[in-house]
Amino acid sequence: QVQLVESGGGLVQTGDSLRLSCAASGRVVSSRPMGWFRQAPGKEREFVAAINWSDGGTVYADSVKGRFTISRDNAKGTVYLQMNSLMPDDTAVYYCAQRRGIGIITTAPHWSDWGQGTQVTVSS
């Protein structure tokens, strides 16, 4: 079992940047995809971004494409989400996750391990 702990959230203004970190410990399989999801009050948990270690490929939600960048440092067991040009619609609790499969799937039920989440709030 892998443990995932997010950090780096906070309160920022429109146009600011944040970098979220997810520290992984326990059973970490570097070949498995890592991803970020977010959930705003009253909304479903939605996919944000994921990275596939096997080929370095990434997948982004249309709403964050061009603004967010996902990366992973296997030696440190950490995955990052660099968020630029933040907007109020980005306000949510952000969760990191790991799949047990080898491909990237954007629906939350296909992801096995989850962190506790970190709050990101963007004011206008």
Side-chain angles (χ1 to χ4, degrees):
Q1 184 179 3
V2 62
Q3 292 80 48
L4 305 174
V5 180
E6 302 95 333
S7 62
L11 174 62
V12 297
Q13 294 182 325
T14 297
D16 285 352
S17 297
L18 282 174
R19 189 182 74 164
L20 305 183
S21 299
C22 177
S25 62
R27 184 177 177 83
V28 179
V29 181
S30 61
S31 61
R32 293 174 177 173
M34 297 288 294
W36 288 92
F37 290 74
R38 67 186 182 185
Q39 188 167 20
K43 295 185 177 181
E44 298 290 325
R45 186 170 299 187
E46 66 174 351
F47 173 80
V48 176
I51 184 167
N52 188 358
W53 182 87
S54 63
D55 61 3
T58 57
V59 178
Y60 295 92
D62 289 340
S63 59
V64 306
K65 192 173 299 181
R67 299 188 297 120
F68 291 9
T69 302
I70 187 172
S71 61
R72 183 166 68 179
D73 187 331
N74 290 337
K76 296 181 178 180
T78 304
V79 64
Y80 304 96
L81 184 68
Q82 178 66 45
M83 305 185 296
N84 298 326
S85 301
L86 284 163
M87 303 181 295
D89 284 349
D90 296 317
T91 296
V93 177
Y94 284 71
Y95 301 88
C96 66
Q98 184 185 67
R99 282 204 72 215
R100 294 180 180 176
I102 60 174
I104 295 175
I105 299 177
T106 60
T107 53
H110 289 87
W111 295 74
S112 301
D113 301 292
W114 295 85
Q116 84 290 342
T118 184
Q119 177 71 48
V120 173
T121 302
V122 185
S123 64
S124 59

